[in-house]
Amino acid sequence: MLDLSKFDEQSAALAEANGIPLYLAGHYMALIGDTPEIDDDGKLIVRDANDDEIARLMAPAGWDLAIPA
C-alpha cells in the first residue's frame, strides 16, 4: 500500500507519461490499486468498479511492473 506522498508522486508520473490531468491520473491510480493489470504491450489496464475496462495507459519510466511470485 502506498502512503499519500508516494501516491501523489506516482499519480504525477502517470499524468506526465500519458498527457492526462493530475486529477484523472489520481483516479486511475486508485482504480489500479496495488496489483496492476498489464496487457501484452506493457500498458496498464484500468478497470472501474464493475470490472469494465476504461483506459489503457503507458507506465511511467522506471516503474517496476513485475508482479512478485
Side-chain angles (χ1 to χ4, degrees):
M1 177 177 254
L2 296 175
D3 64 27
L4 186 56
S5 65
K6 190 70 168 177
F7 180 89
D8 290 344
E9 178 184 307
Q10 290 193 355
S11 294
L14 189 65
E16 184 176 332
N18 290 280
I20 59 176
L22 184 56
Y23 75 89
L24 184 57
H27 177 68
Y28 286 163
M29 284 288 299
L31 292 172
I32 291 168
D34 292 334
T35 308
E37 181 180 357
I38 312 300
D39 73 9
D40 292 338
D41 295 323
K43 291 187 176 181
L44 299 162
I45 299 173
V46 183
R47 295 186 183 275
D48 66 12
N50 295 319
D51 206 33
D52 294 323
E53 182 180 319
I54 58 172
R56 288 190 186 224
L57 304 171
M58 297 296 299
W63 275 23
D64 180 11
L65 297 178
I67 299 174

